[in-house]
Amino acid sequence: MSPALPEQPAVLALGRPRLLAGLDRAARLDRSAHLSAHGSLPQHTETQLTALAEAVALRGRGGAGFPFARKLRAVGQTARRRGARPAVVVNGCEGDPTSRKDAVLLARAPHLVLDGALLTAAALGAGSVVVGVTRAAAEASVREALAERGLADRRARSVRARVVRLPERLVSGESSALLRAAGGGLPLPPGRHDRASREGLDGAPTLLSNAETFAQLALAARLGAEGYAATGAPGEPGTLLLTVSGAVPEPQVVEVPGGVPLAYVLKVCGAAPAPQGVLTGGCHGAWLDAATAARARVSHGGLADCGGTLGVGAVLALPADTCPLGETVRAAHWLATESAGQCGPCRSGLPALAGALADVVAGAGQGALERVREAAGAVRGRGACGHPDGAARFVLSALSAFTDDLAAHVLHGGCGRPTAGLLPLPSGAGADAPADGGGPRRAERLAVDWTLCEGHGLCAGLLPQLVRIGPDGYPSLADAGVPDHLRGRAQRAVRRCPALALRLDKEQLGRER
């Protein structure tokens, strides 16, 4: 079983806390405690806010790192050209299982996030603010914060504000999926995707960014450009949040100055002096080998220079006693199950990529390695969203970071180490979890009775995310539990197996903490 991250990890600040200010004294900052910790929020015009975002080089903290000022300018220009009232959307879905920073902000410091969103809405003249979340604690906290401010989703209000709850899936954090769900549709990326600044929520020009980005904007508005830049890296001032997990005593959400050495962050969090590798940016991110991680600095530019990525702000240290390629296979299988299943690169390409990497780990040789590279090339740039690109980047980075292990698997059939399962991947057993979240939970996995299986291959056609046909003509099952959204397909595959060889097994999982 994966060591799932707690929904609310411990928090730590390296230096004077900004985003985490006040959290050492309270589990959650209500409106009064928030103002005590941060002070009042000065208002800005659109021109002033854009200039501020440019001066502090504010970039999105949810993955792509897009400049915030460019979003502001694009939304404002589109709204004026069309005579339309824009919208502001906070992406707090955080579907990557290696990240909890936005969950901490929304559950414990929701007013800081709302400050940034409402500041933006006032500057743009927006008519609505929507906060998208996937977890119950975040939803309850944001609803309470809106009530404390007297905000609601009513037509009589100058700004309508509401919370939208989406399924806890990776795809829920994709911007177009969130916009579609906030407009009353399915939480899936549409086949046609336009920029939110042109056509976003209900067709209105929309400024969409993630929770930490809005919190950073609120800090910059209070501190001013000079005060905000008092810490951080040249060209990337301020602090940022990281979720540090893996080979550390406990997962933590850590606030660090931009540009701090990655090795120092890991040391402070209690990691071993020389992990065999570090995952940066989450499951759409990139692995760094030990030597590269030792010289990397935590910023967009610093990590990019080393082949890494800041991404969702996740940092996972990998100990020496687990197979890094085996860990990557597990995550690749999970990424295949997390696709929306709407386009070929996701529905067929990601299972093929995970399967080819699994063959490499199993010792299938150079041919399997070539299939990995071919499968990665086949999915990049061809999906309805960025999921295939992120999955391909993640897998290919493992081939570059762990060359000795790769050679051992390709040339000698293995590296001799087990796969410990350190990546905190969801179990997919939400449908069997008690309503109160307590007690034992049961995860479902596909299994085959090999005395009955005749290799018809029907299961692979019905459920390519979890089943593929191996070189011997028989099904090969992914090393992943059956997620909730694929449960119906899995049951259909079991029912339709001509030889009645396929089944769903349940294994009990301990209560997650």
Side-chain angles (χ1 to χ4, degrees):
M1 159 187 178
S2 301
L5 292 182
E7 186 169 329
Q8 291 295 311
V11 298
L12 172 69
L14 303 188
R16 184 176 181 180
R18 289 182 170 186
L19 295 164
L20 302 181
L23 297 188
D24 58 333
R25 301 187 299 272
R28 177 185 178 276
L29 301 181
D30 61 14
R31 181 74 169 140
S32 175
H34 164 71
L35 291 173
S36 176
H38 294 286
S40 59
L41 181 70
Q43 294 300 301
H44 288 64
T45 66
E46 180 187 334
T47 300
Q48 291 171 332
L49 198 61
T50 303
L52 175 66
E54 284 184 327
V56 301
L58 182 60
R59 300 171 67 174
R61 303 298 176 91
F66 195 83
F68 191 83
R70 286 173 59 184
K71 288 187 178 182
L72 265 172
R73 189 175 289 111
V75 171
Q77 290 174 348
T78 302
R80 285 187 291 274
R81 185 175 64 251
R82 289 172 44 188
R85 200 170 185 193
V88 172
V89 175
V90 179
N91 188 346
C93 294
E94 199 172 34
D96 194 301
T98 63
S99 182
R100 289 291 186 272
K101 64 184 183 65
D102 289 344
V104 166
L105 282 176
L106 291 169
R108 301 191 60 187
H111 286 286
L112 193 60
V113 178
L114 290 178
D115 275 351
L118 292 168
L119 181 67
T120 304
L124 290 171
S128 60
V129 172
V130 176
V131 182
V133 300
T134 58
R135 296 185 176 95
E139 179 183 20
S141 177
V142 175
R143 288 191 187 281
E144 185 176 351
L146 291 176
E148 289 170 351
R149 290 170 176 257
L151 295 170
D153 187 21
R154 301 194 185 101
R155 292 187 178 181
R157 307 284 176 145
S158 58
V159 177
R160 301 175 64 174
R162 59 190 170 98
V163 183
V164 175
R165 178 86 176 270
L166 282 75
E168 196 169 333
R169 292 187 58 197
L170 183 65
V171 73
S172 294
E174 204 279 329
S175 59
S176 63
L178 171 56
L179 289 172
R180 192 177 182 187
L186 295 173
L188 299 171
R192 182 185 65 84
H193 182 38
D194 198 358
R195 287 191 182 276
S197 60
R198 290 196 294 260
E199 187 174 348
L201 182 64
D202 297 326
T206 300
L207 194 149
L208 185 150
S209 199
N210 95 307
E212 186 192 341
T213 313
F214 284 109
Q216 293 283 3
L217 183 67
L219 287 176
R222 287 179 165 92
L223 296 171
E226 185 176 347
Y228 188 86
T231 189
E236 294 187 45
T239 65
L240 49 89
L241 292 181
L242 302 175
T243 306
V244 182
S245 65
V248 293
E250 65 171 343
Q252 297 184 82
V253 168
V254 187
E255 184 175 7
V256 305
V260 69
L262 178 59
Y264 177 68
V265 175
L266 292 173
K267 179 182 178 180
V268 171
C269 291
Q276 67 167 317
V278 177
L279 177 61
T280 62
C283 289
H284 279 175
W287 289 103
L288 301 180
D289 61 53
T292 303
R295 60 182 173 83
R297 290 185 174 270
V298 181
S299 65
H300 284 283
L303 289 171
D305 288 344
C306 295
T309 175
L310 184 59
V312 296
V315 171
L316 185 144
L318 201 64
D321 58 356
T322 187
C323 173
L325 296 179
E327 297 285 353
T328 305
V329 166
R330 292 182 61 256
H333 280 309
W334 177 78
L335 288 167
T337 68
E338 281 297 295
S339 84
Q342 298 184 123
C343 59
C346 269
R347 179 173 168 79
S348 301
L350 294 188
L353 177 62
L357 186 61
D359 289 342
V360 170
V361 172
Q366 186 67 35
L369 179 57
E370 292 305 316
R371 289 196 297 274
V372 172
R373 300 188 191 281
E374 290 172 3
V379 301
R380 284 183 296 183
R382 298 178 57 222
C385 67
H387 181 48
D389 300 72
R393 176 173 53 246
F394 169 77
V395 169
L396 291 176
S397 73
L399 303 185
S400 299
F402 306 115
T403 52
D404 290 345
D405 295 270
L406 182 62
H409 283 278
V410 171
L411 300 177
H412 306 295
C415 66
R417 287 172 294 175
T419 299
L422 283 184
L423 270 70
L425 305 178
S427 67
D432 295 305
D436 63 357
R441 305 190 305 125
R442 302 187 71 83
E444 290 184 313
R445 285 182 177 269
L446 285 174
V448 176
D449 185 337
W450 297 111
T451 65
L452 297 177
C453 182
E454 298 176 358
H456 292 96
L458 185 63
C459 52
L462 290 170
L463 195 61
Q465 297 91 338
L466 291 168
V467 186
R468 67 188 182 98
I469 300 302
D472 59 358
Y474 283 84
S476 175
L477 305 183
D479 181 17
V482 178
D484 292 342
H485 64 281
L486 291 179
R487 197 165 181 240
R489 283 184 175 273
Q491 291 171 334
R492 194 176 308 125
V494 169
R495 289 195 303 267
R496 294 188 181 181
C497 176
L500 303 180
L502 190 67
R503 68 179 187 272
L504 278 169
D505 284 349
K506 292 186 178 181
E507 58 181 359
Q508 183 166 306
L509 302 178
R511 179 173 179 171
E512 292 181 2
R513 297 182 181 273

